[in-house]
């Protein structure tokens, strides 16, 4: 199943149609859909597609040679180029007079087996780029390797690329396309558990209930997702045990640097390095109150829904799960699902607002969106606003998001208006997002204010 990725495909198509040498660096976390994107792009196009493997240089060179010869319809199965330089130069020469795509997937594996591969590519790009019609795509799942060894200033290939594409998880509205057959509420729940990683979404059985999917995907020791977070960390970082401790600390409620370092028993400057790497991987996000720049107010939250669901519910129930107690584990998880979905719904609402902005359907043209929290000097306590965004000092939006079975009342709108008074914007527009709808009193109050959008979840997903 291939869905979404319209913008990525449009970018690749434009590069292909340029008819000059192009060098695209594509990277992103494992299972994010990079290979599917490449395969979709190259279908019905002239392309040499090669995947590096964790093996010797000899094995990778034999595989690469076979791929080139198969493309050229050369009937010599046992023929192998003598070196990667010879093989690559053959491809560059083939593309002198016609458009050709060379996609090297899992490039870090190939480069690890052949230490001179990057320098060889540098040499050949410099030699042929002015006369070549090659579209070269280097793709990798090791985020740290691609950023340090391909994209960084010190890398041999620095300055040669003509485009780079960091492939990100689907947002909720794209992820829904992989969950056809489920109700809109079930789609939100499944997205809340699995996030926007296509390979995770493919684990769902749309013929089964959310409960059965949770049991099959998370509470089943034979499911690959049961050990996925641990396996992914082992592939991406050198000290997975420490990273696991950091993620566990954040998942258990430690959000400030001092709290995390205390839980992990490491100095703050050491934790800062681990947190930065986890932010780069898209597993954790760093937040500061919207509109502020003071780093000491920064907090950390799990950004990836699958990691957030897994770390919140699986470790505490792992012994029960390993003994076949899926029913018992689910009975512990089910009462917490509604509260768990609160943060997920906020994320969905932000994505909705961005889509409306790009469609020209928002009351202000905001530049960014974020959560705000801080002190309320009037009421002498801490308060927060789920989402806010501003166009300038005069215009802003303030939003509250409620994923609850009860319909949202006028008191929620009144509270949001009061909280917005902490800000001096002249024009304020309010959004209330609700899973279950709004009371007649809330609708009446919204009409009286005249600057309120009441958005029911079912209307967001029409």
């Amino acid at each position: 199943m291939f869905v979404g990725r319209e913008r990525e495909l449009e970018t690749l198509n434009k590069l292909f149609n340029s008819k000059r040498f192009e060098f695209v660096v594509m990277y992103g976390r494992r299972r994010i859909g990079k290979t599917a994107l490449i395969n979709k792009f190259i279908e019905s196009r002239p392309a040499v597609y090669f995947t590096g493997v964790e093996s010797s240089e000899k094995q990778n060179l034999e595989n690469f040679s076979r791929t080139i010869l198969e493309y050229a319809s050369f009937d010599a199965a046992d023929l192998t180029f003598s070196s990667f330089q010879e093989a690559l130069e053959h491809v560059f020469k083939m593309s002198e007079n016609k458009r050709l795509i060379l996609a090297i997937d899992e490039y870090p594996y190939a480069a690890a087996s052949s230490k001179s591969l990057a320098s060889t590519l540098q040499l050949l790009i410099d030699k042929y780029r002015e006369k070549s019609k090659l579209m070269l795509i280097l793709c990798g799942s090791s985020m740290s390797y691609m950023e340090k060894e391909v994209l960084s200033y010190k890398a041999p290939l620095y300055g040669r690329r003509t485009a780079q594409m960091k492939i990100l998880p689907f947002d909720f509205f794209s992820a829904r396309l992989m969950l056809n057959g489920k109700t809109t509420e079930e789609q939100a729940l499944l997205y809340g558990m699995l996030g926007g990683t296509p390979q995770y979404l493919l684990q769902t059985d749309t013929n089964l209930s959310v409960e059965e999917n949770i049991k099959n995907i998370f509470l089943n020791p034979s499911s690959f997702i049961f050990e996925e977070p641990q396996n992914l960390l082992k592939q991406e970082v050198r000290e997975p045990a420490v990273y696991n401790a950091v993620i566990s600390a954040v998942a258990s409620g430690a959000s400030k640097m001092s709290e995390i370092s205390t839980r992990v028993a490491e100095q703050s400057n050491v934790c800062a390095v681990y947190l930065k790497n986890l932010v780069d991987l898209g597993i954790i996000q760093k937040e500061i109150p919207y509109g502020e720049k003071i780093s000491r107010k920064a907090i950390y939250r799990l950004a990836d829904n699958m990691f957030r669901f897994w770390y919140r519910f699986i470790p505490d129930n792992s012994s029960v799960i390993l003994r076949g107690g899926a029913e018992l584990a689910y009975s512990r998880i089910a009462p917490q699902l509604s509260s768990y979905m609160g943060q997920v719904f906020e994320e969905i609402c932000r994505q909705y607002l961005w889509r409306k902005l790009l469609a020209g359907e928002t009351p202000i043209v905001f530049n960014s969106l974020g959560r705000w929290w801080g002190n309320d000097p009037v009421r002498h306590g801490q308060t927060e606003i789920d989402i806010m965004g501003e166009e300038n000092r005069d215009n802003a939006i303030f939003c509250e998001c409620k994923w609850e079975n009860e319909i949202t009342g006028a008191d929620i709108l009144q509270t949001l208006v009061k909280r917005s008074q902490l800000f001096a914007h002249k024009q304020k527009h309010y959004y209330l997002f609700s899973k279950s709808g709004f009371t007649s009193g809330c609708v009446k109050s919204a009409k009286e204010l005249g600057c309120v959008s009441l958005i029911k979840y079912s209307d967001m997903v029409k």
Side-chain angles (χ1 to χ4, degrees):
M1 176 190 295
F2 186 89
V3 300
R5 303 298 186 203
E6 290 86 0
R7 284 185 298 169
E8 291 88 344
L9 284 171
E10 181 182 358
T11 298
L12 290 170
N13 288 333
K14 285 181 179 178
L15 292 167
F16 180 83
N17 292 332
S18 75
K19 298 183 178 166
R20 61 175 180 268
F21 173 77
E22 300 286 0
F23 173 22
V24 183
V25 177
M26 182 184 296
Y27 65 113
R29 262 179 38 200
R30 298 178 194 281
R31 312 192 196 280
I32 211 70
K34 303 180 298 299
T35 299
L37 173 61
I38 292 173
N39 285 330
K40 181 68 175 178
F41 168 63
I42 67 176
E43 66 181 14
S44 303
R45 287 192 168 103
V48 175
Y49 175 79
F50 163 67
T51 301
V53 294
E54 286 187 284
S55 186
S56 64
E57 179 176 13
K58 180 176 181 293
Q59 182 65 60
N60 274 293
L61 181 56
E62 287 177 357
N63 293 347
F64 189 33
S65 300
R66 191 177 303 113
T67 301
I68 295 170
L69 296 170
E70 286 174 355
Y71 168 78
S73 300
F74 195 93
D75 189 15
D78 296 328
L79 180 62
T80 300
F81 290 100
S82 62
S83 66
F84 268 106
Q85 179 166 342
E86 184 184 10
L88 287 164
E89 189 147 22
H90 185 82
V91 175
F92 271 91
K93 287 180 178 177
M94 283 196 301
S95 65
E96 283 184 322
N97 298 313
K98 63 178 181 179
R99 193 54 155 167
L100 176 63
I101 302 165
L102 170 60
I104 302 180
D105 205 350
E106 295 300 352
Y107 169 76
Y109 291 153
S113 73
S114 176
K115 303 300 182 185
S116 62
L117 182 55
S119 297
T120 299
L121 280 168
Q122 175 193 2
L123 173 70
L124 294 175
I125 290 170
D126 291 347
K127 180 179 179 180
Y128 287 99
R129 68 188 306 167
E130 296 302 326
K131 54 184 176 181
S132 174
K133 293 182 172 61
L134 183 68
M135 181 173 179
L136 172 64
I137 302 174
L138 295 189
C139 180
S141 297
S142 174
M143 303 272 282
S144 56
Y145 185 96
M146 296 299 288
E147 290 174 346
K148 293 176 183 177
E149 303 298 331
V150 180
L151 295 171
S152 76
Y153 178 76
K154 295 181 180 180
L157 291 170
Y158 179 80
R160 273 77 182 175
R161 72 184 184 273
T162 57
Q164 68 279 327
M165 301 176 67
K166 185 174 183 178
I167 308 302
L168 300 173
F170 286 146
D171 71 2
F172 167 66
F173 298 94
S174 293
R176 287 184 65 219
L177 300 175
M178 299 187 69
L179 299 171
N180 282 331
K182 305 306 292 179
T183 67
T184 55
E185 183 174 337
E186 288 173 329
Q187 289 172 346
L189 288 165
L190 289 168
Y191 174 76
M193 297 184 307
L194 297 165
T197 299
Q199 192 61 40
Y200 301 159
L201 291 165
L202 284 172
Q203 303 309 304
T204 60
D205 185 335
T206 54
N207 294 314
L208 298 178
S209 66
V210 169
E211 175 181 342
E212 290 301 318
N213 272 294
I214 291 175
K215 291 174 184 175
N216 287 348
I217 297 170
F218 288 96
L219 310 183
N220 176 6
S222 65
S223 163
F224 92 83
I225 283 186
F226 183 71
E227 294 185 345
E228 173 70 357
Q230 309 295 321
N231 290 334
L232 191 145
L233 288 176
K234 289 175 184 176
Q235 293 169 337
E236 289 287 352
V237 299
R238 294 180 180 177
E239 300 172 283
V242 181
Y243 282 94
N244 181 63
V246 171
I247 298 171
S248 296
V250 176
S252 64
S255 59
K256 297 178 180 178
M257 180 69 76
S258 58
E259 297 170 344
I260 297 168
S261 60
T262 298
R263 297 272 185 97
V264 179
E266 293 280 3
Q267 295 294 320
S268 293
N269 61 335
V270 175
C271 274
V273 175
Y274 294 119
L275 285 165
K276 180 184 182 303
N277 291 336
L278 289 168
V279 169
D280 290 341
L281 285 171
I283 295 171
I284 280 180
Q285 64 186 47
K286 180 180 180 180
E287 286 188 328
I288 57 175
Y290 182 87
E292 300 186 22
K293 301 186 184 301
I294 304 175
S295 60
R296 64 182 174 82
K297 286 190 175 184
I299 64 171
Y300 296 87
R301 305 168 78 183
L302 284 174
D304 182 277
N305 286 346
M306 190 278 288
F307 271 77
R308 196 155 61 87
F309 187 90
W310 194 96
Y311 275 91
R312 176 157 175 177
F313 297 118
I314 304 308
D316 288 346
N317 290 293
S318 61
S319 297
V320 171
I321 296 167
L322 289 168
R323 287 166 175 78
E327 294 288 344
L328 176 57
Y330 182 78
S331 70
R332 295 173 175 175
I333 294 170
Q336 304 179 59
L337 284 177
S338 182
S339 62
Y340 170 84
M341 283 296 295
Q343 182 179 331
V344 176
F345 189 48
E346 287 180 24
E347 176 190 345
I348 291 172
C349 294
R350 277 193 291 272
Q351 295 171 6
Y352 173 85
L353 286 169
W354 279 114
R355 287 188 168 230
K356 287 297 182 182
L357 173 74
L358 296 176
E361 298 173 3
T362 52
I364 71 165
V365 182
F366 51 81
N367 300 305
S368 60
L369 293 173
R371 193 165 62 96
W372 181 87
W373 64 94
N375 183 56
D376 184 340
V378 177
R379 296 163 185 83
H380 306 289
Q382 289 290 306
T383 190
E384 67 177 55
I385 296 170
D386 289 344
I387 305 171
M388 68 172 290
E390 56 185 10
E391 181 174 353
N392 48 46
R393 293 182 179 180
D394 292 330
N395 303 315
I397 58 171
F398 300 87
C399 316
E400 184 76 12
C401 311
K402 292 294 181 185
W403 185 267
E404 296 174 351
N405 291 328
E406 295 181 0
I407 56 178
T408 302
D411 57 319
I412 302 299
L413 176 57
Q414 292 163 4
T415 299
L416 179 61
V417 171
K418 288 178 182 178
R419 290 174 180 173
S420 75
Q421 291 170 357
L422 295 169
F423 299 86
H425 301 90
K426 296 177 182 177
Q427 300 294 327
K428 299 174 182 178
H429 192 94
Y430 304 97
Y431 278 88
L432 284 191
F433 295 95
S434 174
K435 169 191 170 185
S436 303
F438 307 92
T439 64
S440 57
C442 185
V443 174
K444 180 181 178 182
S445 295
K447 288 181 178 178
E448 290 172 352
L449 281 170
C451 54
V452 180
S453 296
L454 301 180
I455 311 292
K456 189 177 178 181
Y457 171 67
S458 59
D459 293 328
M460 297 168 66
V461 292
K462 283 183 177 178

